[in-house]
Amino acid sequence: MATLFDPGGSRGFVRVAVERGVDRYPEGLTYSVPSHLGPLAVGDRVRVPLGRTDTPTPGYVIEMCDAAGLDPARIKPVSERDAVGALPGQLLELARWISNYYCTPIGMTLSTITPAAVKRQVGLVTRTMIDVPAPEGEPVCVAPKQRQVLEVLRSLPPAERPIELRTLAGLAGLRTTGPIRRLLDKGLLTGTRRSVVEASWIEQALDRTIPATLTPGQQQIIGDVARELAAGFSAHLLFGVTGSGKTEVYIRLIEQVVAAGGVAIVLVPEIALTPQTGGRLIGRFPRHRVAVQHSGLTAAQRHQQWAMVADGTADIVLGARSAIFAPVPDGRLGLIVVDEEHDGSYKQDQAPRYHGRDVAVRRAQLAGCPVVLGSATPSIESWFNATVRRSYRLHRLPERVPGLRVPRVIVVDFAAERRRRTDRRVHLIGPTLETATADTLRAGGQVLMLLNRRGYANYIACPDHRCGWLMCCDDCDATMVYHLDRRLPTGGYLQCHHCEAQQRLPRSCPACGRNVTTFGLGTQRVEEELHRKFPELVAGDSMVRVDSDSMHGARDFHSVLGRFATGEIRLLLGTQMIAKGLDFPRIQLVGVINADTAIHLPDFRATERTFQLVSQVAGRCGRGGTPGRVIVQTFQPDAPVIRLAADHDYEGFATGELAERRRCELPPYTRMARIVVRDPDYGRCREAARRLADSLRGLAGGTPSIRVRGPAPCPIARIAGRHRHQVELFANTAAGLQTLLSAARRDGLIRPGAAMAVDVDPIALL
Ligand code: ADP
Ligand code: ZN
């Protein structure tokens, strides 16, 4: 029946999830479909009037429905259909799972899945595509320029027709499109209008190196996984030391998938998405389309790459975390690879707080295809799944490929190193590392130096212990970090690494008037010291610092890597940006300035992270045939985690770590969710957290398999002026945790938003 809003009649009703943080049950809002829109399908993006003011709001059709029980006169019609094509059904299903599992409204989840550049349709233009009519007409007498056009067009392989008007003019050597238009008028050519996404060409250095023979280990694994390619879902953990040829295993499997007409998705951590990774994959698939998705692309390029996946032209998708949402047409996904699966950058730190690896496993389940997780230092979760739960199959590549040597790791006691110095200066580079650096540079080798902390110094304090003044951020419970900046008259500024607020460096202690001192470490201080110790290294030229202060975007980073590859840069100093994915044969020495930066954080994953960081950075070394050296400076040379990392003993580490997690009833033996309540007012924050904890305890009703911990102030109890209190939930099973969370959501106890963050399977606990 026609309603007041819809005089033209209606084609039924749909439920639409709007792109807002509205969380309600049942999901979505009911709208009528006016006939002039044509039929809508599940997955379509639309615009609907929302609220009393009928604000036009984008959303997705999540269900076809009827209007039973609703007053038809009050149902508003869908305003328009969006230019973004419908999402594949599988992706919609995946979004539903994410929405439930990570406690995020479905509309918000769907909004995350579609890149902003796609929603804004950046780069979309309409072009005229030219072809010859079939069957072709009799040869006719035409002007020479027109004949040229016809000849060029006929010589094109069928796959390249129809061709865009201007491109054709260029190929035919014409300066205007006049001759083509005259042929169109005569009916000797056909022209169709088509929407295409135009973007500038993505530069990519290709690497086509193919190893002559596979190692027996590689062959075995390729065979094992390949057998599963047509057998539905299976999960595989490929545990192989760096340089053991994991990438080659992925490539061989992808070859089989694309040969069968399937599509493969390859995820890599954002900062490992170097031109090297891309060049290797694209170089090995010259006859296939590889769509890339990373932060270094322009909006138009992103849209173009996405569209290539959506229309089925791409056979391989390579990208960071969000590439797991590539709109691969239903039925074509054949394999998902998650490289460096342990990497923290797979976890998104805003709602929906999903983990790219876990979403990948889920997507493979929905698509019925294998998923391969690869790492030299698997996450404890994946190791648990492979060795304890045995839900993943474990494949090992314990040795480096022929020609690559295992680097020698030397652990040095930083305190003892300091005692060897006779001057009173601060030395972040001890004598051992200093000598090794000098030797390596002299021998023409390259050096990588890692310190996982940016800035110059992370403490600004009064030198007098009795005063004890320490410079903290006004809005966060954290110290300010001093950054050098020669462009400023003061030579530097203070920054809070939590809220980004900046301040000037005070000259004197506001409490007692003494001159302030700066201490603690940061990459800038190491850079300064390197400059002093190795005057032959020129900052910005033969020595480059890589951290989020010095690099402005992926392009900067890529250009530095290019210069490192040519040997122009001799020493690369940086934060964990340099710890991943680099593959340069001339790195002879890796120095870890301080392996302890993470060890003492109040986070049960601190040891795991320390192990990963030391092992990963060590793996950058010795790729060129000479073994290479890794020097690890630490205040705890005897800590098991440092010893095990130095011995390349992941399994020993994982065994100990699992025992510890089990003893403390921590993940992966339990499942965890963390809810952070935020409020500018301390009392209100504490009170809201207390009420939340009480209600959750009530809901859990004394079930022994569920523990509610807190409320308690977060380790960083205030960020950007908002106090933070947390409640932690632990359950013996994922299902148990999900049941509690769904109940809490349904009762309105947990509402993700400004005042509350819900993190399921959290990896950061500060
Ligand atoms: P990983 O991904 O495990 O770090 P890669 O696949 O990058 O290892 O391999 C390391 C290097 O060894 C690469 O340069 C690669 O081309 C080469 N390589 C891979 N497999 C073989 C093989 N079977 N024989 C010789 N070299 C190989
Ligand atoms: Zn701050």
Side-chain angles (χ1 to χ4, degrees):
M1 142 189 182
T3 70
L4 200 61
F5 296 95
D6 182 23
S10 134
R11 288 180 177 249
F13 303 89
V14 287
R15 287 193 75 80
V16 174
V18 290
E19 286 187 1
R20 293 274 185 282
V22 234
D23 206 10
R24 64 196 314 278
Y25 292 91
E27 283 168 335
L29 303 162
T30 303
Y31 287 91
S32 66
V33 185
S35 358
H36 68 86
L37 279 191
L40 286 176
V42 169
D44 277 330
R45 190 166 187 262
V46 292
R47 237 158 262 274
V48 293
L50 188 69
R52 241 172 257 150
T53 52
D54 285 345
T55 318
T57 309
Y60 294 82
V61 176
I62 54 168
E63 202 184 322
M64 311 308 289
C65 65
D66 54 34
L70 295 173
D71 174 3
R74 301 191 53 184
I75 299 180
K76 300 175 193 175
V78 172
S79 325
E80 56 178 322
R81 181 199 288 275
D82 198 89
V84 177
L87 291 176
Q90 229 164 57
L91 212 46
L92 204 69
E93 230 178 303
L94 188 69
R96 275 225 176 81
W97 178 80
I98 291 175
S99 161
N100 284 326
Y101 190 85
Y102 294 104
C103 301
T104 308
I106 180 78
M108 210 168 160
T109 308
L110 284 162
S111 175
T112 303
I113 281 180
T114 320
V118 175
K119 285 188 247 180
R120 288 188 284 118
Q121 298 280 293
V122 182
L124 190 75
V125 287
T126 310
R127 291 280 179 253
T128 307
M129 306 301 286
I130 306 291
D131 208 345
V132 274
E136 287 179 36
E138 290 294 304
V140 282
C141 214
V142 291
K145 281 189 179 161
Q146 297 177 19
R147 199 172 54 237
Q148 229 163 294
V149 170
L150 289 172
E151 275 165 14
V152 166
L153 198 52
R154 289 197 184 109
S155 70
L156 284 178
E160 286 177 32
R161 293 190 329 226
I163 182 169
E164 196 270 316
L165 181 89
R166 258 170 266 264
T167 317
L168 176 61
L171 285 179
L174 304 175
R175 264 187 278 136
T176 69
T177 54
I180 304 179
R181 296 198 185 278
R182 278 188 287 282
L183 286 166
L184 281 169
D185 291 343
K186 288 184 194 161
L188 294 172
L189 291 181
T190 58
T192 40
R193 303 282 282 167
R194 192 185 279 179
S195 293
V196 290
V197 186
E198 287 192 345
S200 54
W201 180 248
I202 302 172
E203 285 292 335
Q204 189 75 66
L206 301 183
D207 176 357
R208 299 189 199 277
T209 329
I210 307 177
T213 49
L214 294 172
T215 63
Q218 285 173 320
Q219 277 170 14
Q220 171 84 39
I221 297 169
I222 293 165
D224 283 354
V225 182
R227 264 192 296 283
E228 310 265 340
L229 281 176
F233 170 75
S234 56
H236 306 263
L237 178 62
L238 174 48
F239 163 47
V241 297
T242 41
S244 60
K246 294 186 291 297
T247 311
E248 193 59 37
V249 170
Y250 309 149
I251 289 175
R252 300 294 169 114
L253 290 169
I254 296 167
E255 279 173 353
Q256 301 198 20
V257 169
V258 297
V263 173
I265 298 181
V266 181
L267 300 186
V268 295
E270 176 72 61
I271 49 189
L273 196 47
T274 60
Q276 275 186 324
T277 324
R280 255 178 99 182
L281 205 63
I282 299 169
R284 291 287 291 276
F285 294 91
R287 271 185 286 283
H288 290 92
R289 284 284 193 77
V290 181
V292 293
Q293 300 268 313
H294 60 79
S295 61
L297 302 183
T298 64
Q301 287 171 335
R302 271 175 205 237
H303 182 195
Q304 184 191 48
Q305 300 292 304
W306 193 90
M308 229 161 80
V309 181
D311 69 18
T313 7
D315 302 300
I316 301 168
V317 184
L318 168 68
R321 181 177 67 221
S322 63
I324 195 57
F325 302 129
V328 178
D330 282 345
R332 283 199 62 202
L333 192 57
L335 175 70
I336 304 179
V337 172
V338 184
D339 191 25
E340 313 274 4
E341 66 86 28
H342 63 276
D343 196 275
S345 74
Y346 283 123
K347 176 87 172 175
Q348 167 143 305
D349 62 3
Q350 53 190 359
R353 292 182 160 74
Y354 70 90
H355 199 299
R357 174 198 61 221
D358 299 338
V359 173
V361 173
R362 185 65 203 165
R363 184 156 192 192
Q365 259 168 359
L366 291 172
C369 73
V371 56
V372 177
L373 314 177
S375 177
T377 54
S379 63
I380 291 295
E381 280 77 8
S382 295
W383 189 249
F384 174 81
N385 284 336
T387 62
V388 182
R389 268 186 73 204
R390 295 182 186 273
S391 52
Y392 297 171
R393 283 192 54 196
L394 178 63
H395 309 269
R396 286 186 172 88
L397 282 176
E399 273 152 33
R400 292 192 136 193
V401 297
L404 288 194
R405 313 267 293 274
V406 179
R408 191 156 54 94
V409 180
I410 303 152
V411 175
V412 295
D413 180 347
F414 203 32
E417 292 272 300
R418 280 199 171 167
R419 287 193 292 272
R420 284 171 60 194
R421 299 279 188 191
T422 45
D423 59 353
R424 295 196 58 219
R425 292 195 97 130
V426 178
H427 292 274
L428 301 179
I429 299 168
T432 310
L433 183 54
E434 184 177 339
T435 314
T437 305
D439 291 348
T440 307
L441 291 174
R442 205 173 311 118
Q446 286 178 306
V447 182
L448 212 58
M449 240 178 238
L450 177 93
L451 176 63
N452 225 358
R453 197 172 272 157
R454 62 197 171 88
Y456 185 83
N458 57 333
Y459 293 101
I460 294 90
C462 176
D464 188 342
H465 294 301
R466 286 163 304 175
C467 167
W469 175 83
L470 183 65
M471 180 92 193
C472 286
C473 175
D474 289 340
D475 296 320
C476 305
D477 284 356
T479 63
M480 296 294 276
V481 180
Y482 183 48
H483 288 254
L484 301 180
D485 189 341
R486 292 208 180 76
R487 291 165 306 180
L488 299 176
T490 48
Y493 60 93
L494 300 178
Q495 191 189 33
C496 168
H497 284 186
H498 296 284
C499 71
E500 311 290 317
Q502 296 191 356
Q503 285 188 31
R504 287 170 56 179
L505 179 70
R507 279 217 184 128
S508 53
C509 170
C512 69
R514 285 186 180 77
N515 284 345
V516 298
T517 56
T518 61
F519 61 97
L521 34 160
T523 45
Q524 285 187 324
R525 191 167 218 152
V526 179
E527 185 180 32
E528 186 188 73
E529 189 175 321
L530 281 166
H531 192 62
R532 205 167 62 225
K533 293 192 159 123
F534 304 98
E536 72 270 29
L537 290 176
V538 182
D541 184 32
S542 52
M543 164 171 78
V544 172
R545 191 182 90 225
V546 173
D547 54 32
S548 55
D549 297 317
S550 65
M551 296 291 113
H552 304 285
R555 261 171 260 195
D556 261 15
F557 184 42
H558 290 182
S559 115
V560 166
L561 294 181
R563 284 162 55 208
F564 194 61
T566 62
E568 181 189 331
I569 298 174
R570 306 288 310 283
L571 186 150
L572 210 55
L573 153 75
T575 53
Q576 58 175 345
M577 285 180 91
I578 61 167
K580 295 167 194 170
L582 302 192
D583 184 359
F584 296 107
R586 275 190 291 173
I587 301 178
Q588 287 295 301
L589 174 68
V590 170
V592 179
I593 300 289
N594 180 355
D596 314 332
T597 45
I599 263 181
H600 295 298
L601 293 178
D603 180 335
F604 69 84
R605 284 194 183 81
T607 18
E608 183 181 0
R609 269 193 218 121
T610 302
F611 185 88
Q612 284 165 351
L613 193 69
V614 174
S615 311
Q616 292 287 336
V617 76
R620 302 299 127 221
C621 181
R623 291 195 160 220
T626 33
R629 260 187 303 174
V630 181
I631 294 178
V632 177
Q633 303 189 138
T634 168
F635 284 107
Q636 308 176 63
D638 299 319
V641 56
I642 302 285
R643 291 252 73 96
L644 291 162
D647 291 344
H648 307 283
D649 186 3
Y650 171 79
E651 295 200 37
F653 164 75
T655 306
E657 187 63 21
L658 276 177
E660 185 64 15
R661 302 272 185 96
R662 181 181 191 149
R663 195 178 61 79
C664 303
E665 299 185 4
L666 286 168
Y669 285 94
T670 53
R671 297 302 278 258
M672 177 181 182
R674 177 181 189 232
I675 305 169
V676 174
V677 177
R678 302 180 280 211
D679 198 300
D681 183 86
Y682 179 80
R684 266 205 321 250
C685 179
R686 200 183 49 182
E687 186 48 29
R690 194 193 52 74
R691 271 200 314 271
L692 175 67
D694 286 350
S695 317
L696 288 171
R697 284 201 175 90
L699 262 186
T703 320
S705 60
I706 291 181
R707 285 181 291 146
V708 179
R709 220 159 71 175
C714 297
I716 302 174
R718 194 172 53 117
I719 291 181
R722 288 187 301 176
H723 293 274
R724 307 166 77 238
H725 273 65
Q726 64 182 16
V727 178
E728 293 172 323
L729 303 176
F730 292 87
N732 287 0
T733 61
L737 186 64
Q738 285 299 319
T739 309
L740 179 64
L741 288 173
S742 317
R745 252 176 109 190
R746 210 147 292 168
D747 291 358
L749 291 178
I750 55 177
R751 296 170 191 218
M756 186 185 288
V758 183
D759 196 350
V760 179
D761 301 332
I763 63 161
L765 299 173
L766 297 182

